[in-house]
Amino acid sequence: MSIRTDEDVVRRCVSNPLIALADLPFQCSDIRNAGVAHFRNEFLLLVTVESLQGRCRLYLARSRDGERFSIEDKPFMTGDTGPLAQYENMGIRDPRTTFLDDTYYIVYVAEGHAGLRVALARTDDFVTVERMGMLTQPDTKNGVLFPTKFDGRYALLDRPNPGNSIWLTFSADLAFWGDPKVVMTPRGGYWDADRIGAAGVPIEIDRGWLLIYYGEKITSTGPLVRLGAAVLDRNEPWKVLARSNIPILSPRERYERIGDVGNVVFSCGTHVSGGDLRVYYGASDSCICLGTARIDDIVGVCYDTSGEF
């Protein structure tokens, strides 16, 4: 596969940005990242929106074609006011949606005065939602639930702040988690040198699991956040079989370079159709965008590599 020097493996939708501040029916501070689900012939995005007061909430956006979205004017989820209030009183964000056991599980970041944790909710209809509690200890971010079980156990990818690496833990009941295993670490001298984390839900492929992840590199002008990919073993998903030595999507366009947090492309969800992958991503904490790629092309980049998994 040949790639032009001014293009990425993931190609941008000509309609980008799909959702910008001007598209919202209310005032807000910024638009961040969105989880993805395909439900009853609709594309659904759970969009992170920061209010003018500075607290993040999740709003539902709907589309028939996956490009033209209409966002609802009332939040789908806000910080809890019940038993979990002390852990969510500063907002909730960065949802990842996993369909498993005939249920849509929503893994999200909960932010409170005591720090960051990964939390879990579930829904069957995207009308009502049930909170299920916290999945991690503080300070941990970016939880992603696998869409299958391993030896009867649920599996969660997360990123504890110390170490800035991707870890895997297991649970028999979605309440108590353990048996932690490190999956991937940042790589000095590469595009993902300083911090990494899982992006969307792992995708089952012939070779195992395709994981889209984000990587951060600190530059002289600040952090640069890009997307890459790795292939994980089918039965032992803490084992990395291949990993991209180049990013598959980098901030290049103005809407990716300039925003509340510049030079960022950050994904919380993808959608698979045949051999094609739609990557929904937040750009510079200011809008929601879409990129597409052939899964085989992304896997090819992972295997066109040497060492430093």
Side-chain angles (χ1 to χ4, degrees):
M1 177 187 63
S2 62
I3 301 170
R4 283 171 38 188
T5 56
D6 61 342
E7 291 184 343
D8 292 302
V9 180
V10 175
R11 306 297 177 87
R12 290 161 182 81
C13 176
V14 296
S15 301
N16 281 348
L18 303 187
I19 303 175
L21 288 174
D23 299 316
L24 303 186
F26 51 84
Q27 288 185 309
C28 69
S29 177
D30 67 28
I31 305 171
R32 299 189 185 178
N33 312 303
V36 181
H38 194 254
F39 179 72
R40 295 178 182 171
N41 295 319
E42 278 190 314
F43 289 88
L44 303 181
L45 299 183
L46 285 176
V47 183
T48 305
V49 177
E50 183 178 316
S51 70
L52 294 176
Q53 292 78 19
R55 287 174 169 79
C56 289
R57 302 169 177 175
L58 305 183
Y59 284 77
L60 197 62
R62 300 176 180 272
S63 172
R64 287 291 182 181
D65 62 6
E67 292 186 23
R68 294 169 294 180
F69 282 89
S70 175
I71 193 165
E72 297 180 352
D73 59 355
K74 301 296 182 183
F76 176 72
M77 286 184 68
T78 63
D80 191 37
T81 57
L84 302 180
Q86 63 178 320
Y87 307 116
E88 299 186 356
N89 55 18
M90 295 180 65
I92 59 175
R93 52 189 167 94
D94 295 353
R96 279 87 166 179
T97 304
T98 299
F99 185 67
L100 176 61
D101 296 336
D102 296 322
T103 297
Y104 289 90
Y105 289 98
I106 304 168
V107 180
Y108 61 95
V109 177
E111 185 171 8
H113 292 299
L116 298 163
R117 298 179 72 181
V118 174
L120 181 67
R122 64 184 175 190
T123 183
D124 294 322
D125 54 12
F126 288 94
V127 176
T128 59
V129 61
E130 175 191 1
R131 278 179 165 83
M132 301 179 66
M134 298 291 153
L135 303 184
T136 67
Q137 301 297 315
D139 279 317
T140 304
K141 290 181 64 180
N142 304 323
V144 179
L145 190 66
F146 269 85
T148 192
K149 297 178 184 177
F150 299 90
D151 294 328
R153 298 188 299 174
Y154 299 93
L156 178 77
L157 294 169
D158 60 30
R159 197 214 78 204
N161 276 346
N164 295 325
S165 300
I166 299 175
W167 286 75
L168 180 67
T169 55
F170 296 93
S171 174
D173 57 7
L174 292 172
F176 299 96
W177 295 82
D179 192 16
K181 301 179 187 296
V182 67
V183 179
M184 294 194 302
T185 64
R187 300 175 294 181
Y190 284 82
W191 65 274
D192 50 2
D194 294 292
R195 180 165 57 184
I196 61 172
V201 176
I203 302 158
E204 190 169 11
I205 59 175
D206 291 341
R207 299 184 188 225
W209 296 97
L210 177 63
L211 175 67
I212 308 299
Y213 73 97
Y214 70 88
E216 179 181 293
K217 182 177 182 179
I218 303 300
T219 73
S220 59
T221 58
L224 175 61
V225 180
R226 294 169 281 195
L227 296 180
V231 178
L232 309 180
D233 185 85
R234 181 182 306 280
N235 299 314
E236 298 176 309
W238 58 91
K239 294 182 178 180
V240 179
L241 305 181
R243 179 176 175 180
S244 63
N245 282 349
I246 64 169
I248 62 172
L249 183 66
S250 301
R252 300 184 189 274
E253 299 296 328
R254 181 179 178 86
Y255 53 81
E256 299 162 345
R257 290 287 195 180
I258 300 173
D260 280 5
V261 182
N263 296 321
V264 171
V265 292
F266 191 103
S267 178
C268 285
T270 61
H271 177 262
V272 177
S273 178
D276 296 317
L277 184 68
R278 293 174 179 244
V279 181
Y280 290 92
Y281 65 96
S284 293
D285 279 9
S286 296
C287 57
I288 302 298
C289 302
L290 170 63
T292 60
R294 294 289 298 172
I295 291 177
D296 286 347
D297 289 345
I298 297 177
V299 173
V301 169
C302 293
Y303 278 92
D304 184 21
T305 185
S306 61
E308 294 285 357
F309 286 173

